[in-house]
Amino acid sequence: MEDILKISKVSKNFKTFSLSDININIKENCITGFLGKNGAGKTTLIKIILGIIHKDEGSIIYFNNPNLGEKHIKDKIGVVLDDEYFYDKLTLDQMKNLVASAYTNWDNEKYENYIKRFRLNGKQVISSLSKGMKMKYSLCLALSHNADLLIMDEPTSGLDPEVRKELMQVLKEYVGEEGKSVFFSTHITSDLEQSADEIIIIDNGKIVEQINKDEILEQYRIIKGDIQLLNKLNNKDIGFVNKSSYGFSAISDKYQDIKKKFPETIIEKASLEDIFLAKTEVR
């Protein structure tokens, strides 16, 4: 499985924030979830990938070709941003005509198919669209020029569960096509738990981990017990501890050893959100 995007030692310094030594890779035919708290650096890195912000250091290789020109890179990337800008007074079809002129491989039949699938009206004025409809329209445009990499920045933020479920289905179908990939930035872990193949966690401008989603879900468990048990445990073996008058719960990748040593420990499956909070908590 080839890398469709390879980022090596990328850094960017601002007055109050820095991206530091970013090393990640996006594989073809995968949905890669990019998970981080608000302000962790997700949008900054995406803008660097898109050429909106210039990096200070490091390299980015697109589509396994270090010599690929800017025009070819633009043609092969579809983009859905949370702050997507459209001309509100234009209709969907009028805006589409402007966008289509920027791409070499625009497919109007594909555009019309997505418009119908998402139950949009090409004659409708953009200003009349709800947030969910605007997201669907952005996706229509991003998927209609035969891009191989779809980059999405917080696309499901503020959307209802039905729209988010519809989006996840479209993404799964898209990466089923040969050579297609999705890089999906969000802080909504439930979306990634349903759809992602790989997970990348960023915190305070640094990559915490890149790992297969099923692997990370198998690696960690919730452990529970009374406060006496908590006092016996090594703090280095547990994270994201919640205490109450009845006992505690925590996240651990040492749950098997803890269970052997303390058989009274209760072990439960951890969600991706539980694991994410444990990995990004302030110690």
Side-chain angles (χ1 to χ4, degrees), residues 121-139:
N121 181 351
K123 307 301 180 187
Q124 190 171 357
V125 177
I126 289 172
S127 61
S128 67
L129 298 179
S130 67
K131 183 176 178 63
M133 292 169 74
K134 277 188 178 180
M135 188 281 297
K136 291 180 181 182
Y137 179 57
S138 296
L139 192 56

Side-chain angles (χ1 to χ4, degrees), residues 178-191:
E178 186 176 354
K180 307 292 187 184
S181 297
V182 174
F183 187 45
F184 181 3
S185 159
T186 187
H187 63 277
I188 303 175
T189 55
S190 57
D191 290 337

Side-chain angles (χ1 to χ4, degrees), residues 48-201:
I48 289 173
I49 293 170
L50 297 176
I52 299 170
I53 294 175
H54 294 289
K55 61 188 183 298
D56 293 335
E57 299 177 29
S59 66
I60 303 176
I61 297 176
Y62 301 84
F63 307 102
N64 206 30
N65 184 351
N67 300 313
L68 200 62
E70 186 176 331
K71 174 61 177 172
H72 286 91
I73 292 171
K74 182 180 177 182
D75 270 344
K76 291 167 74 67
I77 295 178
V79 182
V80 177
L81 301 178
D82 184 37
D83 57 352
E84 193 77 69
Y85 179 76
F86 296 124
Y87 295 112
D88 283 347
K89 293 183 179 180
L90 296 183
T91 66
L92 276 62
D93 286 346
Q94 288 171 335
M95 190 71 214
K96 176 266 298 184
N97 291 336
L98 290 177
V99 173
S101 64
Y103 295 102
T104 304
N105 298 315
W106 182 265
D107 187 333
N108 210 59
E109 183 179 354
K110 190 171 284 187
Y111 167 79
E112 293 292 346
N113 288 337
Y114 278 117
I115 284 288
K116 289 177 183 176
R117 175 171 183 171
F118 290 140
R119 300 173 297 281
L120 298 174
N121 181 351
K123 307 301 180 187
Q124 190 171 357
V125 177
I126 289 172
S127 61
S128 67
L129 298 179
S130 67
K131 183 176 178 63
M133 292 169 74
K134 277 188 178 180
M135 188 281 297
K136 291 180 181 182
Y137 179 57
S138 296
L139 192 56
C140 283
L141 298 176
L143 294 175
S144 295
H145 61 91
N146 294 301
D148 289 332
L149 173 61
L150 181 61
I151 295 179
M152 311 180 77
D153 187 20
E154 298 284 356
T156 60
S157 179
L159 301 183
D160 65 58
E162 185 178 349
V163 175
R164 283 162 48 199
K165 183 179 179 181
E166 188 175 11
L167 170 62
M168 295 304 111
Q169 182 58 40
V170 172
L171 298 186
K172 288 176 183 178
E173 292 173 11
Y174 174 75
V175 296
E177 300 175 31
E178 186 176 354
K180 307 292 187 184
S181 297
V182 174
F183 187 45
F184 181 3
S185 159
T186 187
H187 63 277
I188 303 175
T189 55
S190 57
D191 290 337
L192 298 184
E193 194 155 351
Q194 290 177 38
S195 63
D197 302 295
E198 291 263 317
I199 298 292
I200 297 172
I201 298 175

Side-chain angles (χ1 to χ4, degrees), residues 243-282:
K243 290 190 285 186
S244 72
S245 56
Y246 297 100
F248 79 97
S249 67
I251 302 295
S252 179
D253 60 350
K254 304 289 195 306
Y255 62 92
Q256 291 177 322
D257 293 337
I258 291 171
K259 183 68 173 177
K260 285 180 182 178
K261 192 171 182 180
F262 305 104
E264 70 273 23
T265 306
I266 298 169
I267 307 292
E268 296 180 356
K269 187 175 177 63
S271 69
L272 188 57
E273 180 174 3
D274 295 325
I275 298 166
F276 165 65
L277 291 172
K279 284 186 167 289
T280 58
E281 70 176 330
V282 177

Side-chain angles (χ1 to χ4, degrees), residues 182-246:
V182 174
F183 187 45
F184 181 3
S185 159
T186 187
H187 63 277
I188 303 175
T189 55
S190 57
D191 290 337
L192 298 184
E193 194 155 351
Q194 290 177 38
S195 63
D197 302 295
E198 291 263 317
I199 298 292
I200 297 172
I201 298 175
I202 188 170
D203 189 45
N204 197 28
K206 298 180 181 179
I207 299 300
V208 175
E209 187 164 20
Q210 176 170 359
I211 190 170
N212 176 278
K213 180 199 69 181
D214 293 335
E215 224 176 283
I216 197 170
L217 288 173
E218 185 60 34
Q219 187 176 343
Y220 289 86
R221 291 288 187 274
I222 295 173
I223 62 171
K224 293 182 176 182
D226 58 29
I227 297 300
Q228 287 182 328
L229 172 60
L230 178 61
N231 293 334
K232 297 174 185 176
L233 297 176
N234 187 331
N235 287 336
K236 293 180 180 180
D237 293 339
I238 56 176
F240 193 53
V241 179
N242 281 317
K243 290 190 285 186
S244 72
S245 56
Y246 297 100

